[in-house]
Amino acid sequence: MEETFPVREWRVPANLPAAKIAGAVLLVSLGLLFADGDVVRLALACVAAAALVVWGARDLLAPVRLAADDAGVTVIQGFAGRRHLPWPAVEAITVDRRSRLGLSTETLEIDAGHSLHLFSRYDLGAEPGEVARLLRVARTAAVPESTRPPRRPDHP
């Protein structure tokens, strides 16, 4: 009997859209409080709040950012669309680590040749390094090394 990789999904943490919506309400409240009759201040607060609401709405409409199964990975594309990438199309799965101003960040990178898909810890609800490890296991089980596209010199 052939072993299969279970379907895995990584999604935005549930508290993130709520925080974005709360931030929008706070911005409008502060705009009303400190506008002192200045329409520009209030308008800027409302525009920033609207951007936060749209960003939060995306998290509610498409909470699953990445999914993997035996056939490949499904990534979010555009505002709330999806794109399926079969395993043979995935050239590399890497984690980019950067330190800046005393803070360290990790980003999961899925290179599909003509497209690069980036996911942060806030997109996945998990550590990018752990997700990369699971994706590599799934890819290895689904696609033998001999049938994968050749690695480019700049990819480990």
Side-chain angles (χ1 to χ4, degrees):
M1 185 168 151
E2 196 173 305
E3 192 174 328
T4 61
F5 180 78
V7 175
R8 295 288 311 255
E9 292 183 341
W10 292 274
R11 60 183 54 236
V12 174
N15 61 349
L16 202 54
K20 291 174 185 176
I21 304 298
V25 170
L26 180 65
L27 275 172
V28 171
S29 300
L30 289 173
L32 289 170
L33 184 65
F34 293 113
D36 292 331
D38 186 1
V39 179
V40 174
R41 285 184 191 174
L42 184 57
L44 285 174
C46 288
V47 167
L52 273 177
V53 167
V54 169
W55 194 17
R58 179 182 188 230
D59 293 347
L60 293 172
L61 292 173
V64 176
R65 295 293 200 254
L66 176 65
D69 59 20
D70 287 334
V73 293
T74 302
V75 296
I76 193 163
Q77 183 173 7
F79 186 77
R82 304 234 179 276
R83 179 177 178 200
H84 180 75
L85 303 170
W87 286 121
V90 176
E91 291 182 8
I93 300 168
T94 58
V95 177
D96 182 40
R97 291 175 179 87
R98 297 189 186 241
S99 294
R100 193 173 280 159
L101 301 173
L103 298 173
S104 179
T105 60
E106 288 186 343
T107 304
L108 173 67
E109 298 179 354
I110 299 175
D111 186 352
H114 296 293
S115 62
L116 181 65
H117 305 275
L118 307 172
F119 303 94
S120 72
R121 184 173 66 99
Y122 300 108
D123 289 320
L124 302 170
E127 292 299 320
E130 179 61 20
V131 175
R133 186 188 68 74
L134 290 170
L135 290 176
R136 287 185 197 115
V137 167
R139 181 175 176 229
T140 301
V143 181
E145 185 76 34
S146 61
T147 61
R148 290 186 202 153
R151 288 185 175 171
R152 296 196 314 245
D154 60 336
H155 281 83

